[in-house]
Amino acid sequence: MTLADLAMPTLRDSRLDGLPVAIIGAGPIGLAAAAQLHERGIEFAVYEAGNTVASSMRSWGHISLFSPWEFLVDPAARRVLEPTGWGAPNASRLPSGSEVVERYLVPLAATDALAPHITTDATVEAVSRQGMDRTRSSGRDSTPFVLRILRSDGTRDEVLARAVIDASGTYATPNTLGSSGLDPLGLPGVADRVSLALPDVLGSERDRFAGKHVTVVGAGHSAANTLLNLVELARQGAGTTVTWLIRNRSAVRVLGSEDDDLQARASLGARIQQLVEAGEITVVDRFEIAKVEDVAGRIRIFGTRDSEHVDTDLIVNATGFRPNLDLLREIRLDLDDIVEAPRALAPLIDPNVHSCGTVEPHGFAELQQPEPNFFIAGMKSYGRAPTFLLATGYEQVRSIAAWLAGDLASARAVELSLPATGVCSTTNAAGCC
């Protein structure tokens, strides 16, 4: 589908009149979408699975972001906030996840423009068309969307919408530990000793990790941040030992970032390399996990090669994330076969051929699905690919809001300037930076 093939959005059918645009997720991108729609005078409703806004970001709030405040505040959100007396943080400062939530997202969600339209403790279990499964075509674009909502008290109900922006993110659906993409054999027997990415090892989860042998699995920035915190825990006399298990020869996204425009991200490589050389982190490379097993109260991690194994007390799964597509079974999607991102976006972000931070401008046209007026935005739009930055998502939802408002010129005028990572992780990506 080309831009020339895209007609103006069909939001004015009588069955759609008065219905809001449904936004799934009240994280940074979901709330930015709400602010953008508010400025356009379009009714919206935000549904957040957690009991507060930005619940996923709160889970890793102890981690500092690579991006300074300059790249973290959506322009429309800023315009909504400024009349309330909100003071913008120092543009060059690097905040933690918790600071972004408390200083930006909570005040934004509390504004008169957004607060009445946000529902928390509301998990969107499924999206479809009212009275139509995915096989029915006639009149589909003029039929309301129906979202099935699971409430915190266990009850379910359904709400209608004229368009849907899925900004639910990927943090709740991590990739598997197994190199095959499947859970390794034996996982249920040790699952209580496997942590999600970015555990708070120096804070709320200190007692769990202190004095243990911890193996971090994964080769990206989430793994690097956890490794740094585990080394600090060990230096505090906690008796913790740290192993880093990766399936490639090196963790290029972490160790090869000297030219990164975001200096906080660039410094990770040097810091991790120094710790490896000093023996504070033990690296096991070219290890592909096939099976895990409880052996005398510890976890034995078996590789795909005969007899290779690693024994540990705890595992941190920092292998990345994947989109939850289960709720979209009745929606017509066109996703890339490899990274599960919208097909037109995938070539710009596929880590097999492109791993740089610089992403070509993209908006509604790349994100729109065969299902009319349904969009995947934010981290979820990247599928299984890494290197998503908030500024990317903000521009996505600006373009989508313009499209839904019928402002095709603004929707097409997509401009995006991102700091480059300085990393190309494959030989196929030479020159992409």
Side-chain angles (χ1 to χ4, degrees):
M1 180 180 292
T2 66
L3 285 175
D5 299 322
L6 296 170
M8 297 302 290
T10 55
L11 293 181
R12 301 311 303 169
D13 183 276
S14 60
R15 296 181 64 190
L16 303 177
D17 282 350
L19 295 180
V21 175
I23 300 169
I24 307 175
I29 306 307
L31 294 180
Q36 294 284 351
L37 292 170
H38 166 74
E39 286 201 326
R40 294 280 182 174
I42 297 175
E43 289 294 320
F44 61 90
V46 183
Y47 300 98
E48 165 61 37
N51 58 11
T52 65
V53 299
S55 58
S56 289
M57 182 172 277
R58 289 179 189 273
S59 299
W60 50 268
H62 54 286
I63 298 294
S64 293
L65 276 71
F66 298 128
S67 301
W69 277 109
E70 174 187 0
F71 297 108
L72 301 179
V73 178
D74 171 70
R78 181 187 295 271
R79 292 188 291 271
V80 169
L81 280 164
E82 285 176 341
T84 70
W86 176 77
N90 184 327
S92 62
R93 187 173 173 275
L94 297 171
S96 67
S98 291
E99 287 179 288
V100 173
V101 172
E102 298 303 328
R103 295 197 60 187
Y104 167 46
L105 298 176
V106 168
L108 176 61
T111 60
D112 292 341
L114 270 63
H117 309 283
I118 299 172
T119 303
T120 57
D121 285 320
T123 301
V124 177
E125 290 190 315
V127 184
S128 187
R129 293 279 186 175
Q130 188 179 35
M132 302 180 73
D133 66 14
R134 65 183 298 161
T135 66
R136 295 178 60 185
S137 298
S138 179
R140 193 170 188 86
D141 60 354
S142 60
T143 299
F145 287 96
V146 59
L147 288 73
R148 179 163 293 177
I149 309 292
L150 172 64
R151 307 290 180 175
S152 58
D153 61 2
T155 61
R156 290 175 171 84
D157 59 3
E158 293 181 344
V159 298
L160 301 181
R162 52 176 176 163
V164 177
I165 300 173
D166 184 352
S168 56
T170 58
Y171 182 76
T173 48
N175 285 328
T176 65
L177 287 169
S179 59
S180 65
L182 305 176
D183 286 334
L185 294 172
L187 181 63
V190 301
D192 61 323
R193 285 160 281 171
V194 177
S195 169
L196 290 176
L198 300 171
D200 189 5
V201 303
L202 295 174
S204 61
E205 297 182 80
R206 178 187 176 91
D207 290 345
R208 184 184 185 196
F209 289 90
K212 301 293 176 53
H213 178 188
V214 184
T215 296
V216 178
V217 181
H221 297 108
S222 294
N225 274 296
T226 298
L227 290 166
L228 292 174
N229 287 339
L230 286 169
V231 168
E232 177 59 28
L233 182 62
R235 288 176 173 178
Q236 293 176 6
T240 304
T241 55
V242 186
T243 294
W244 186 15
L245 194 155
I246 59 178
R247 64 181 181 181
N248 297 317
R249 290 178 179 271
S250 69
V252 68
R253 284 202 305 274
V254 172
L255 301 181
S257 56
E258 294 87 349
D259 297 328
D260 196 331
D261 285 350
L262 296 177
Q263 291 305 305
R265 188 169 57 190
S267 69
L268 271 182
R271 295 167 68 189
I272 293 294
Q273 189 63 47
Q274 289 172 0
L275 295 173
V276 170
E277 293 173 355
E280 295 185 81
I281 297 172
T282 300
V283 177
V284 180
D285 59 15
R286 288 169 287 182
F287 191 104
E288 298 185 349
I289 298 175
K291 182 174 70 172
V292 291
E293 185 177 296
D294 185 301
V295 177
R298 305 189 76 209
I299 303 172
R300 178 159 292 175
I301 308 172
F302 294 90
T304 55
R305 293 193 292 264
D306 291 342
S307 75
E308 68 173 353
H309 68 270
V310 172
D311 290 335
T312 190
D313 296 315
L314 297 170
I315 297 173
V316 176
N317 180 1
T319 59
F321 306 94
R322 61 180 63 182
N324 176 10
L325 300 175
D326 291 345
L327 72 160
L328 306 180
R329 287 293 300 272
E330 298 304 325
I331 294 297
R332 297 179 177 183
L333 301 176
D334 184 23
L335 303 179
D336 178 72
D337 296 334
I338 299 172
V339 295
E340 296 182 303
R343 193 172 300 278
L345 174 59
L348 309 181
I349 60 175
D350 183 349
N352 291 291
V353 295
H354 181 102
S355 63
C356 303
T358 301
V359 178
E360 292 181 31
H362 64 277
F364 81 98
E366 289 80 9
L367 301 174
Q368 184 160 312
Q369 294 297 307
E371 193 73 64
N373 299 319
F374 180 89
F375 300 88
I376 299 175
M379 185 66 193
K380 191 169 183 175
S381 73
Y382 269 45
R384 300 193 188 195
T387 69
F388 174 78
L389 296 175
L390 290 183
T392 303
Y394 295 157
E395 181 61 11
Q396 288 178 346
V397 295
R398 185 209 62 78
S399 175
I400 292 169
W403 162 254
L404 293 174
D407 185 353
L408 188 57
S410 180
R412 285 176 168 171
V414 178
E415 298 181 1
L416 184 65
S417 178
L418 294 175
T421 65
V423 182
C424 293
S425 65
T426 71
T427 54
N428 292 333
C432 73
C433 300

